[in-house]
Amino acid sequence: MGFLFSKQAYDPNRDIPDLIGKVVIVTGSNTGIGFRTAEQLALHGAKVYLACRSKAKATAAIAELEKTSPSLKDQNRLVWLPLDLSSMHSAKKAAEEVLAKEDRLDILINNAARGVEKYELSKNGVELNVAINHFGHFVFTQTLLPLLKETAKRRDADVRIVIVSSNSYTTPGTTKFGSLEDMNDPQGTPGNENAMSARLRRYGTSKLMNVLFATELQRRLDTENAAITVISVHPGSVATETVLTTDLPWYITLFVTLFGVTPLQGAMTSLFAATSAQVAAEREKYKGKYLVPYGKIAGPATAASKDPALAKTLWETTERITTGLLGSASE
Ligand SMILES: NC(=O)c1ccc[n+]([C@@H]2O[C@H](COP(=O)([O-])OP(=O)(O)OC[C@H]3O[C@@H](n4cnc5c(N)ncnc54)[C@H](OP(=O)(O)O)[C@@H]3O)[C@@H](O)[C@H]2O)c1
C-alpha cells in the first residue's frame, strides 16, 4: 500500500470502491475541492447530497456534473441540500431534511469553509469563521448522528465522517474556547481586525477547531461503541478559484499559482479518508487522526490539537452556544 504515500499514485478510478447503494453528503460542493469530491463519489455509485447555500450555484454544479457524466442524471445521483452553515437553524433544518428522506447515511464530508476573510459576525453575533467552519458543521453533524449510528449497525456498513481542516490548524491565533467572547476574538489588536495576520489567525483557529472536533467526536463515539470513523484532513495547497482570487499574502498566491494541485487532487485525501479499504482494514490506526495528501497520517501534531481538555472545552462551549442560538427565534 506504499502507493498511498506517494504524491502521484492515488487514483480515484482504482482506489475508490463501489459505492452503489450508499448515501453521502458533501458540504460546500458547488465548487473547488468539494465539487470534485462529490463528483468522484457519485461516479463510483453513491447518491450524493450537495449541501450548499446557493440554489443557483448548486443547480449549476449539478447540471455541469450531469452534462459531463450523463449517467449521473439518469440515476438521479446528485441532489441539492440547502444549507447555510452560518445559521444554526439552517444547519439543523438541512440535517432534518436528510433524516426525513433517507434510511441510511454512510459518509459525511464537512468540506465547506469560510476562508481568510475580513472580520464579520453572523446575524446572531458569531464570528463567521467560527460560525461556518465549526458551529454550523457541529449542529449539522450532531443532528445527523442518529442516522449515521443506525447505518453503522448494518452488516455492510463502513460509516465515515471526514472533516476538511487545513495545515493552518498549527497556527491558531487563540486557544481560548471557554465562551462566545473567546470565540469572537478578532485575534488582532483593536483597529487591526482586518490585517492579513489577524485574518490568517482566525482561519487557523477555526481549522484547529476542526481537528479538535474530529478527535472529540471520535472519542465520544468510541465510548458508545458506535462504529463510525472520524478523520480530519488537509487537502494540500489547492489551486481553487477562491484561493486564486482571494486577497492573500503574495507569497501564498504565488506558491499556489506555481505549485498548487488541481481541485481533483485536492479532493483525494478526503476521498481516501471517506472510502479507502485501507482505513477499514486498519481502522484503529486511522480513527481520530489527521491526514495529509494522499492518506498519510500526520497528526494531530501540535500540543493544542492533541489536548483532550481543550477538545472537551471546545465541545462543551460549542454545545452550550449553539443550543442557545437554536433556542432563539431571531436567527
Ligand atoms: N484550497 C486550498 O488550498 C485549501 C488548503 C487547506 C484547506 N482547505 C480547505 O478545503 C476546503 C475546501 O476548500 P476550497 O479551496 O475548495 O474552497 P472553495 O472553493 O472556496 O469552496 C468553499 C465552499 O464552501 C462553501 N461555503 C462557504 N460559506 C458557506 C456557508 N455559510 N454555508 C454553506 N457553504 C458555505 C462555498 O459556497 P459558496 O460558493 O456559496 O461561497 C463553497 O462551496 C475548506 O474547508 C478549506 O478550508 C483548502
Side-chain angles (χ1 to χ4, degrees), residues 296-308:
K296 187 178 173 204
I297 298 173
T302 61
S305 66
K306 286 192 282 193
D307 182 351

Side-chain angles (χ1 to χ4, degrees), residues 14 50 52 90 148 150 173 195 204 243 248 288 304 324 330:
R14 183 193 57 202
L50 289 89
C52 306
S90 171
L148 290 157
E150 272 313 299
V243 170
L248 290 167
S330 65

